[in-house]
């Protein structure tokens, strides 16, 4: 039985008359695929049918890239091949060379769909690649109804819009990773590893307009905000960066990620990579705790899919209580110290 047959039977398919494949633009870190790339693979597997295969594109340089490729090849039974672009051009996550790479892959592969996670990387690369390919991307997809019909939120998540893509190939999508959780693999679901192919980059067009200067990242022991199971968020009510440490202490005790409202970020209490909301990160943890957050629609847009929402606010009429499963009308400067005292040490 060939891998292609396995794919045809492995997953629910969405009919597509074309004999074409789907390309997933993937990111890797420390020799493994990122959690968001696994979600992209999950979304892309919805396009699989007997005539459609799934290719995963990785780029970078050196041993960690090859390690990530080997891990990616056996991480999901739907993956038919891993394409590896090994070059110094991809040493840093610059959008321009990446967009040209996607353009090149489309010329080589004629994919029906190209999928990437809707994070800062995907939002940076996909529109550029779409412009090079002269197609319109469909962004922030939360549901794949048919091969060319998708659901995406509009008006800060207050309405859902069904979109039919009528343009030419490829149909390019960014997906909301929280809507495509990765099912844990059953013991016998792992078949033999997919083949790994090195991409011939000799025809890659150079882009002389951009150069890498530096990357500033925050080192943190805490879980990643986008994929954490528990998120503790603080709002403007914290009043200062010093006070915001209360939120950080609580997060530490609960093994949680820290989030913030835009008001807290704009006031300089924390850096903007912690912002949750329409113009920040979209999160959907098992538990979301909001302290001193009013619940503006732009904030709700980023956390409304959390499984359990807990809100602490001293105003009983604060809109956050409309989406909260548990609400406490109280002063966070009393509630958090009490929680810190009563919660057991890790
Ligand atoms: P506030 O609205 O000022 O609320 C503070 C809350 O704390 C109040 O409800 C108050 O009752 C309560 N409080 C005060 N003191 C205490 C205390 N001691 N104990 C307990 N409770 C207390 N916002 C985001 O968060 N994310 C986004 O991505 C985002 N994108 C935006 C995009 C656009 C285009 C626009 C226009 C706005 C956006 N905003 C975003 C901003 C948003 O509209 C709100 O201004 C912001 O979310 C408010 O933050 P906040 O809840 O911390 O502050």
């Amino acid at each position: 039985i060939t891998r292609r047959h396995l794919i045809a039977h492995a997953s629910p398919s969405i009919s597509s008359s074309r004999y074409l494949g789907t390309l997933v633009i993937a990111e890797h870190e420390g020799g493994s695929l990122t959690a968001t790339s696994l979600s992209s693979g999950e979304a892309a597997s919805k396009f699989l049918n007997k005539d459609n295969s799934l290719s995963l594109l990785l780029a970078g340089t050196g041993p960690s890239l090859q390690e990530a490729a080997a891990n990616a090849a056996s991480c999901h039974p739907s993956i038919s091949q891993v394409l590896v672009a090994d070059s110094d051009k991809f040493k840093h996550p610059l959008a321009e060379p990446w967009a040209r790479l996607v353009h090149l892959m489309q010329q080589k592969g004629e994919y029906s769909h190209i999928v990437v996670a809707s994070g800062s990387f995907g939002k940076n690369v996909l529109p550029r690649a779409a412009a090079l390919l002269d197609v319109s991307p469909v962004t922030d997809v939360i549901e794949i109804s048919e091969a060319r019909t998708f659901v995406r939120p509009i008006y800060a998540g207050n309405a859902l819009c069904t979109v039919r893509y009528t343009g030419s190939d490829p149909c390019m999508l960014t997906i909301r990773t929280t809507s495509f959780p990765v099912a844990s693999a059953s013991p016998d679901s792992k078949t033999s590893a997919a083949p790994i192919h090195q991409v011939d980059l000799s025809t890659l067009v150079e882009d002389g307009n951009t150069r890498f200067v530096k990357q500033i990242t925050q080192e943190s022991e805490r879980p990643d905000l986008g994929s954490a199971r528990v998120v503790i968020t603080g709002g403007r009510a914290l009043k200062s960066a010093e006070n915001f440490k209360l939120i950080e202490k609580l997060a530490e005790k609960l093994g949680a990620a820290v989030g913030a409202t835009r008001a807290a970020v704009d006031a300089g209490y924390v850096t903007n990579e912690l912002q949750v909301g329409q113009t920040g990160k979209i999160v959907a943890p098992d538990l979301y705790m909001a302290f001193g957050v009013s619940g503006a629609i732009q904030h709700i847009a980023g956390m409304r899919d959390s499984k359990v929402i807990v809100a602490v606010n001293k105003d009983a009429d604060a809109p956050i209580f409309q989406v909260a499963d548990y609400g406490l009308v109280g002063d966070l400067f009393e509630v958090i110290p009490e929680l810190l005292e009563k919660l057991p040490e890790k």
Side-chain angles (χ1 to χ4, degrees):
I1 187 162
T2 63
R3 184 164 188 90
R4 188 169 284 260
H5 283 112
L6 277 175
I7 292 160
H9 294 114
S11 120
S13 64
I14 284 169
S15 70
S16 158
S17 55
R18 295 172 174 79
Y19 181 89
L20 286 168
T22 298
L23 181 72
V24 172
I25 303 173
E27 292 170 271
H28 60 101
E29 207 177 288
S32 296
L33 282 190
T34 58
T36 56
S37 298
L38 291 173
S39 291
S40 304
E42 189 67 28
S45 68
K46 310 270 183 239
F47 299 117
L48 285 176
N49 61 33
K50 64 182 169 36
D51 294 329
N52 200 326
S53 61
L54 196 161
S55 304
L56 201 101
L57 175 62
L58 281 171
T61 188
S64 73
L65 171 68
Q66 301 303 335
E67 193 188 336
N71 285 332
S74 52
C75 77
H76 200 293
S78 305
I79 296 170
S80 349
Q81 61 171 340
V82 178
L83 304 169
V84 178
D86 193 339
S87 162
D88 274 351
K89 293 186 182 73
F90 306 112
K91 200 170 171 186
H92 306 292
L94 273 184
E96 287 76 7
W98 253 103
R100 294 199 180 271
L101 174 63
V102 174
H103 182 237
L104 177 71
M105 298 315 297
Q106 179 61 16
Q107 286 171 336
K108 286 178 189 275
E110 292 189 13
Y111 296 96
S112 60
H113 295 82
I114 298 181
V115 179
V116 68
S118 181
S120 50
F121 172 75
K123 286 180 184 172
N124 213 356
V125 172
L126 201 83
R128 288 177 163 84
L132 292 173
L133 291 163
D134 200 18
V135 297
S136 287
V138 183
T139 55
D140 280 326
V141 168
I142 59 165
E143 193 185 312
I144 295 167
S145 314
E146 285 176 27
R148 305 239 147 184
T149 310
F150 313 103
V151 179
R152 61 186 299 274
I154 54 171
Y155 304 129
N158 284 312
L160 297 180
C161 178
T162 300
V163 184
R164 175 164 304 188
Y165 179 76
T166 54
S168 53
D169 284 339
C171 171
M172 301 181 85
L173 314 173
T174 65
I175 57 113
R176 286 252 177 116
T177 53
T178 49
S179 301
F180 298 95
V182 181
S184 51
S186 60
D188 61 353
S189 68
K190 281 200 174 175
T191 55
S192 56
I196 299 173
H197 300 294
Q198 304 295 323
V199 177
D200 174 8
L201 296 169
S202 56
T203 53
L204 186 74
V205 178
E206 289 285 339
D207 181 286
N209 295 330
T210 51
R211 73 187 164 87
F212 177 81
V213 179
K214 67 176 171 181
Q215 183 170 6
I216 302 168
T217 50
Q218 297 278 326
E219 294 299 326
S220 168
E221 300 275 291
R222 280 194 286 271
D224 172 56
L225 179 57
S227 53
R229 292 182 55 233
V230 181
V231 174
I232 314 289
T233 287
R236 195 197 317 256
L238 268 301
K239 291 196 185 125
S240 70
E242 189 55 34
N243 290 342
F244 208 91
K245 293 201 173 108
L246 277 175
I247 297 287
E248 289 162 8
K249 272 190 201 152
L250 187 58
E252 212 159 289
K253 265 213 157 163
L254 294 171
V258 170
T261 63
R262 179 158 141 183
V265 169
D266 287 352
Y269 307 164
V270 283
T271 53
N272 68 354
E273 66 188 6
L274 300 187
Q275 184 175 318
V276 172
Q278 186 188 339
T279 42
K281 298 226 165 94
I282 309 288
V283 301
D286 292 342
L287 174 63
Y288 188 87
M289 297 180 83
F291 293 89
V293 172
S294 59
I297 52 165
Q298 295 90 353
H299 185 77
I300 305 283
M303 45 64 81
R304 66 177 351 133
D305 292 331
S306 305
K307 297 199 180 58
V308 175
I309 298 171
V310 175
V312 177
N313 194 306
K314 66 180 186 185
D315 174 7
D317 294 325
I320 190 79
F321 289 127
Q322 288 167 18
V323 294
D325 298 285
Y326 299 93
L328 178 63
V329 179
D331 188 330
L332 68 89
F333 293 107
E334 290 166 16
V335 176
I336 298 182
E338 202 176 329
L339 273 172
L340 286 171
E341 195 189 307
K342 293 200 171 144
L343 282 167
E345 285 304 325
K346 267 205 294 183

